Amino acid sequence: MPLNKQYIIAVDGGGTKTCAVIGTKNGEVLAVVEGAGANIKSTPPAEVQQQIKKLLTELLQKVGATKKEVSTIFLCMAGGDRQVDFVRWRRWMELFFSSEYCKVHVTNDAVAALTSGTFAHEGLVIIAGTGSIVYCVQKNNHINRVGGWGYLFGDEGSGYYIGQEALRVVSQHYDAFGQDGDVLTEAILKQLGLKDPTEMITMIYEHPQPRALIASTVQTVLRLAEQGDETAKVIIERATTCLVQLLLTMFQKEPQVKSFPIVTCGGLFKSSYFANCFQEKLQQATIDNLLIRPEVPPVIGAFVKGLISEGVLITESLQRIVKESWMSKNTM
């Protein structure tokens, strides 16, 4: 089959949303689609499988391609490197694509985030989105991770963590002072469309995606912190302290990565207030590594991993093609 008729599909699936692209081995991104989160620990697996099938079908239709023309699919999914989930994702993909034509790769979504900043196989990334993790890939594919334990007993410093802390403050304030709400309480209730903190119980516990709903309140907390609200500022400071602690734990486990540049990825780092607070905590911990803020989203990191898996050399010229073609599709 001619090179220009062999496509690479890349998927980045996190807790809040899933993004997929299709492109060529020349580095050109041809189309992009988005859907809901694809974390099978927080969304029923059957729903995730159907959603991914829908996204892949839509991608192929956008470029007029057939399944047989896809030579590689590279999936970077939340928890994708856990053996039980790895096997499940491979099985799903092999039901969609024939292994005779398509090579299936499955790994953790942190790999996509890492590669979006480095355009290389090795590196160190810290993610603060709906969840949180520090992830490192070294030579010989030596992988180590800190955090990423999920929202029930992990995800320190994440959007979920911040939202949970905010809701805890609201509930405790109500217990102590009743309807006499403070600034944070009033703002959270307004965002949720509620009149009384007691209404949070029904809304959140009966919500189909409570994790995403709780994490969504982080935007209110960040806005109040930027405006100088002391309670919100303390919550953000606690979150960034947690993230720095994850990095320190990684350095303790893997001393050789102390000099690695750190790719910062995830929705929280898009906030200048949060990013500045994080840098202050790094300085306090005497961590002076170069910080890399990716120019492209994680799904493009997954696409680059697909190119690398095909033996494509990631030159400066190819990086430029990837970035420019992504931007042209992202601004349409």
Side-chain angles (χ1 to χ4, degrees), residues 124 134 136 138 142 144-146 243-260 262 285-287 289:
L124 174 66
V134 171
C136 184
Q138 299 177 66
H142 176 62
N144 216 321
R145 54 184 286 168
V146 175
L243 295 178
V244 171
Q245 184 57 54
L246 294 179
L247 275 171
L248 290 173
T249 301
M250 175 63 79
F251 293 158
Q252 183 178 4
K253 292 173 66 176
E254 301 283 353
Q256 61 271 33
V257 308
K258 286 184 177 180
S259 61
F260 276 31
I262 302 171
T286 64
I287 298 174
N289 302 57

Side-chain angles (χ1 to χ4, degrees), residues 51-116:
Q51 184 202 179
I52 293 298
K53 182 178 179 180
K54 178 176 178 293
L55 290 178
L56 295 179
T57 300
E58 186 178 345
L59 264 186
L60 293 173
Q61 290 174 344
K62 281 197 168 191
V63 298
T66 67
K67 295 179 182 180
K68 291 184 179 180
E69 291 176 310
V70 178
S71 63
T72 291
I73 179 166
F74 207 103
L75 297 100
C76 297
M77 314 304 293
D81 55 350
R82 286 188 292 263
Q83 186 60 25
V84 62
D85 294 337
F86 173 85
V87 171
R88 181 157 34 185
W89 278 111
R90 281 194 63 91
R91 184 174 69 249
W92 289 348
M93 290 303 101
E94 288 169 356
L95 289 173
F96 192 85
F97 294 105
S98 170
S99 58
E100 181 181 353
Y101 304 104
C102 182
K103 297 179 287 293
V104 177
H105 301 271
V106 185
T107 188
N108 193 281
D109 60 336
V111 171
L114 169 61
T115 312
S116 71

Side-chain angles (χ1 to χ4, degrees), residues 278-304:
F278 175 70
Q279 286 188 283
E280 289 177 6
K281 296 300 180 183
L282 287 178
Q283 292 172 359
Q284 292 172 12
T286 64
I287 298 174
D288 58 0
N289 302 57
L290 173 68
L291 298 183
I292 299 175
R293 297 185 65 178
E295 298 178 35
V296 294
V299 70
I300 298 303
F303 178 62
V304 171

